[in-house]
Amino acid sequence: MGRFEVRDRCVVITGASSGIGKAISACFAREGAHLYLGSRPEEAADLKAWAQELERAHAIRTWTFPVDLALPDGPERFHAAVRGIGRPVDVFVNNAGVLWYGSFAALSLEKQVETVQVNVLAHMKLMHLFLADMVARGEGRIWNVSSVSAFQPSCHHAVYGATKAFVQSLSEAVHEELRGTGVTVSTLNPSYTDTPMIHGEGFPRRLWWFDVSGVRTAEETARIGYRAFKRGKALCITGWQNRLIHTLLLRLTPRKLMAAISYWVLQAKPALKD
């Protein structure tokens, strides 16, 4: 598949007020794409300011949609608002996500249901809603932001890992179903990235896993993923360490042992003493 040119295309990005979504929006804006940007309602001011900055810097058009995707009708409201602009969507970046750190038994059910609402139901609904118009038009791309957590149990954020496994399996299956339609589905699978998600309530300052894979900036993760997206790669795992571990070593390691390793490396690492 040849390189995908984005100039004057219309690109929808959820979770665009911070982190990977914000960095991805900058990648598209630099190459002249027009952006439909989503965020939580409480982030509306930050989202609007970012959109205006992108317009000034890159002479593009932006629209902002601060919609809570955790609400039962949030995805439908978001899609309807975007569709109401009246321009066809060329790319949908399914990026919004929630992560809570802690044991499954100790974390509140409310937090874990929210994780499923956003990471599974909203992802699935939005993917389905935007795909319908793309398939009818015979052109379009869905880019789902998944995680390396999709490939094995993720102890200490078990529901998050399970939601990413759902996104990964769905993405790969639908990509195959869409052969010959002119529409594709691809995933970005980063390891830990320095975003508000890993600085939230209860998340340790450092995990043992950080010593293996490091922690990339959102901008670096976005650049790697964006290059792969433009080349038409269906799967992009960021970093050679992660590619080695998640494409080769996982195939050779018994699942019980992998779960035990996950439990250990995803624990908090004690802080260094002064």
Side-chain angles (χ1 to χ4, degrees):
M1 186 180 296
R3 286 176 61 84
F4 182 73
E5 296 304 323
V6 304
R7 181 164 300 280
D8 290 325
R9 302 268 192 170
C10 292
V11 178
V12 178
I13 306 172
T14 61
S17 61
S18 64
I20 294 174
K22 183 177 182 179
I24 286 174
S25 70
C27 292
F28 279 104
R30 280 193 292 268
E31 296 197 4
H34 305 297
L35 303 177
Y36 303 77
L37 304 176
S39 75
R40 293 172 175 165
E42 60 268 27
E43 298 166 345
D46 290 340
L47 184 68
K48 188 65 176 178
W50 175 239
Q52 291 172 343
E53 183 177 336
L54 292 175
E55 287 190 347
R56 288 192 299 268
H58 304 292
I60 62 168
R61 295 193 66 188
T62 66
W63 296 263
T64 59
F65 304 89
V67 177
D68 188 352
L69 298 178
L71 296 176
D73 66 342
E76 289 87 350
R77 287 169 50 203
F78 180 84
H79 175 258
V82 169
R83 203 175 189 198
I85 301 298
R87 300 183 62 172
V89 171
D90 298 293
V91 179
F92 172 55
V93 184
N94 216 354
N95 168 72
V98 175
L99 181 153
W100 297 101
Y101 185 91
S103 72
F104 176 75
L107 281 172
S108 73
L109 186 59
E110 180 183 21
K111 289 178 177 178
Q112 301 192 73
V113 168
E114 180 195 22
T115 304
V116 173
Q117 289 279 5
V118 177
N119 296 12
V120 171
L121 289 177
H123 264 247
M124 183 270 291
K125 284 184 173 183
L126 288 170
M127 187 174 163
H128 189 272
L129 290 165
F130 282 104
L131 269 177
D133 290 338
M134 291 179 179
V135 171
R137 213 170 63 245
E139 182 182 22
R141 291 194 175 197
I142 302 288
W143 190 17
N144 289 328
V145 178
S146 183
S147 168
V148 294
S149 295
F151 302 122
Q152 71 287 308
S154 297
C155 296
H156 313 298
H157 35 48
V159 171
Y160 174 83
T163 65
K164 293 304 182 179
F166 173 92
V167 170
Q168 193 65 37
S169 181
L170 180 67
S171 300
E172 293 179 15
V174 175
H175 178 75
E176 292 302 316
E177 291 177 358
L178 292 169
R179 284 182 178 273
T181 65
V183 184
T184 63
V185 179
S186 58
T187 63
L188 171 59
N189 297 75
S191 186
Y192 290 105
T193 304
D194 189 7
T195 71
M197 186 176 283
I198 69 166
H199 296 289
E201 175 189 343
F203 202 97
R205 291 185 60 187
R206 189 168 184 82
L207 303 180
W208 287 102
W209 180 250
F210 292 174
D211 292 340
V212 178
S213 67
V215 178
R216 283 182 168 74
T217 66
E219 291 74 20
E220 184 180 10
T221 294
R223 284 195 301 270
I224 294 170
Y226 185 69
R227 288 195 298 268
F229 169 80
K230 289 198 66 180
R231 292 198 303 269
K233 293 189 65 174
L235 169 70
C236 175
I237 298 173
T238 58
W240 68 266
Q241 304 100 318
N242 294 310
R243 289 193 294 274
L244 174 64
I245 292 166
H246 296 285
T247 61
L248 177 60
L249 295 185
L250 278 181
R251 299 178 185 179
L252 305 176
T253 306
R255 290 187 63 83
K256 185 175 181 179
L257 175 58
M258 183 53 61
I261 293 171
S262 168
Y263 178 84
W264 186 78
V265 299
L266 298 182
Q267 289 185 100
K269 184 176 183 179
L272 294 174
K273 295 182 179 180
D274 294 333

